[in-house]
Structures are given as structure tokens and as C-alpha cells.
Amino acid sequence: MKIAVISDIHGNIYSLMKVFEDIDDNRVDKVICLGDLVGYGPHPNEVIALIKRREITCLKGNYDASVCDGDFTYIRDNNINSFSLPWAVEEVRNSNKYFLENLETEYRLKVGKREILFVHGSPNSISEYLFEDGSNTEEIMKNLNADILVCAHTHIPSCKMFGDKLFINDGSVGKPKNGSPNATYCILDINEETGEVKVKFRNVEYEFKRIVKDMTMLKFPSNLIQSYETGREV
């Protein structure tokens, strides 16, 4: 079974469309989105509409939750978010806020001998960062009630074994932080008979200058625009 995992689209409809083209080319069996459809980027409603139209299994991200409650409950209160959060709260339609509010925070899937847990941040919190070398990651993996943990939130793709358990972060479709503007996501290829798991990270080019132009016209902060150009947090 081939599963494509996407996340952290952050209002970037251009990258999402290119990623779906790549997913279709790879003929996967299922697509799962780990959340953060909104925040930062200028096209949150278009992103949500496309996720709905393709009937994607989708979880709630921390930015999705903050846009729903209109506060910095699940995100950092900094200069960029002081612009991005109020903008998204105003821009996202009420029907789409209802959609985001009712998303689940975890999803379990059994594929042959393997049980996979999908979350946005961690099994403990949608806003907890799990880096592959973090002490909190090691502790969570030690106590994980599944064979594979797939998470997002850091925007940095990674894959690491913790004993006999597999940790995966799928990266970010819309706002990467790995030094490249390209979209990233991952494909899990699981042999249902043997339980063998192959993880392939996909790096997808898109016309990022289009979103830069849109953000510039809307007078988004220059450091936020720059992060879409460079793939770095600034």
C-alpha cells in the first residue's frame, strides 16, 4: 500500500496543486494530510476547497486551531504571527472554520502487520515540535503505541528508527524550512505481507514567484515573503 503524506500547506495553493500532480503521477492508494492548511499564505480558502474536493483524510494543525479560536493559543506570538493570524481569521470563511474546527487530531491506520499513528505535532499536543534528535522525540517513540509515527509541524523532512519503531516527519508542502522553496512530502510504501516499509521523500518544484507576487500585492511583511523564497525561517 502506498500512502502519500502531506502537511503544512499554509495557504499556498500553487505548491499544493503541483504536489497533487506529483502524487497522481506516483499512483498512491491513499493521501493523508496532517494539517496546517491555513496561516502565513494568501490562499487559505482555496487550499481548504481543494482538500475538500479531493476528499482527503485530514487532521487539524496548530495554526488551524488558532485561526478557529482567533487567539495565539497554539502558535507563537511573534511579529509574523501578529500579522498572519488576524489576517487569516478575517480571510477564512466561517464554513471553512467550521471544517477546520471539526477535524480530528490523530488518525490510526493498520496496514498488514503495521499500525501507523498520524499526528500534526506529537501524540501529546498539536503544537509540540518533534525533531529526530530531540529528547522528547526519543521519549515519545519509546512509549509509542504503534509501529510507525508520522508527524509534521517542524516543516523539516526526516526519518529515523528508534529501536523497532519508525519516526517520520513529512516536511512541508507550502512553507518549507530546509533551505529550499520547493514543496516536500513523503510516500510510505508498505508491503502488507512482510511489513517492510519504504519511505520516499518527494521534492517538488513549483512557481514560488507566483505566491511571492500575490503576497507582495497584499502587502504581507517582507520577512514573511522572503521565507517563501528561501525556504528558511527569517
Side-chain angles (χ1 to χ4, degrees):
M1 183 177 188
K2 291 175 72 174
I3 305 168
V5 186
I6 64 174
S7 74
D8 297 284
I9 302 153
H10 287 296
N12 190 340
I13 189 63
Y14 305 124
S15 64
L16 180 61
M17 290 190 296
K18 278 294 183 183
V19 163
F20 276 137
E21 288 180 15
D22 193 74
I23 287 172
D24 291 342
D25 288 343
N26 278 276
R27 298 181 180 179
V28 304
D29 301 297
K30 186 173 181 64
V31 182
I32 298 173
C33 177
L34 304 185
D36 270 7
L37 309 185
V38 303
Y40 303 125
H43 304 117
N45 292 304
E46 292 86 344
V47 166
I48 294 171
L50 186 52
I51 292 291
K52 286 180 175 178
R53 186 158 64 247
R54 292 187 64 126
E55 299 182 337
I56 303 299
T57 298
C58 189
L59 300 180
K60 183 191 298 181
N62 62 302
Y63 221 116
D64 303 326
S66 279
V67 166
C68 289
D69 73 10
D71 204 351
F72 294 89
T73 312
Y74 303 96
I75 61 173
R76 292 172 292 175
D77 188 353
N78 56 28
N79 289 337
I80 286 181
N81 286 330
S82 68
F83 169 85
S84 295
L85 179 61
W87 190 92
V89 169
E90 181 69 22
E91 182 73 10
V92 176
R93 299 187 187 104
N94 286 335
S95 60
N96 285 333
K97 288 177 185 175
Y98 180 83
F99 170 78
L100 296 175
E101 179 65 34
N102 286 279
L103 294 174
E104 299 292 337
T105 56
E106 70 172 44
Y107 178 70
R108 287 184 181 268
L109 182 66
K110 191 77 178 289
V111 181
K113 302 176 180 179
R114 300 285 190 173
E115 183 169 2
I116 313 166
L117 174 61
F118 299 88
V119 296
H120 179 74
S122 83
N124 299 331
S125 168
I126 60 173
S127 57
E128 182 178 10
Y129 289 96
L130 293 184
F131 295 97
E132 65 175 35
D133 295 324
S135 58
N136 61 330
T137 306
E138 185 175 1
E139 184 67 20
I140 282 172
M141 293 304 295
K142 182 172 68 175
N143 297 303
L144 184 68
N145 185 23
D147 301 299
I148 303 169
L149 176 66
V150 188
C151 64
H153 189 43
T154 68
H155 298 206
I156 299 172
S158 60
C159 179
K160 183 177 179 179
M161 291 297 300
F162 288 81
D164 61 350
K165 296 177 182 178
L166 179 60
F167 168 84
I168 301 168
N169 189 302
D170 73 311
S172 170
V173 167
K175 194 177 182 294
K177 296 180 183 178
N178 60 343
S180 166
N182 296 345
T184 58
Y185 77 99
C186 77
I187 296 176
L188 280 67
D189 192 349
I190 305 174
N191 187 309
E192 297 186 41
E193 293 184 2
T194 67
E196 181 186 7
V197 182
K198 295 179 181 177
V199 181
K200 180 188 294 184
F201 290 101
R202 301 290 300 168
N203 188 291
V204 181
E205 294 183 3
Y206 77 100
E207 295 180 55
F208 65 88
K209 290 183 179 180
R210 294 180 68 186
I211 195 168
V212 167
K213 180 180 178 181
D214 291 352
M215 295 168 79
T216 302
M217 290 176 62
L218 290 166
K219 302 187 185 308
F220 277 37
S222 59
N223 55 343
L224 176 57
I225 296 171
Q226 187 180 346
S227 71
Y228 279 78
E229 292 179 295
T230 63
R232 294 192 182 278
E233 193 72 28
V234 292

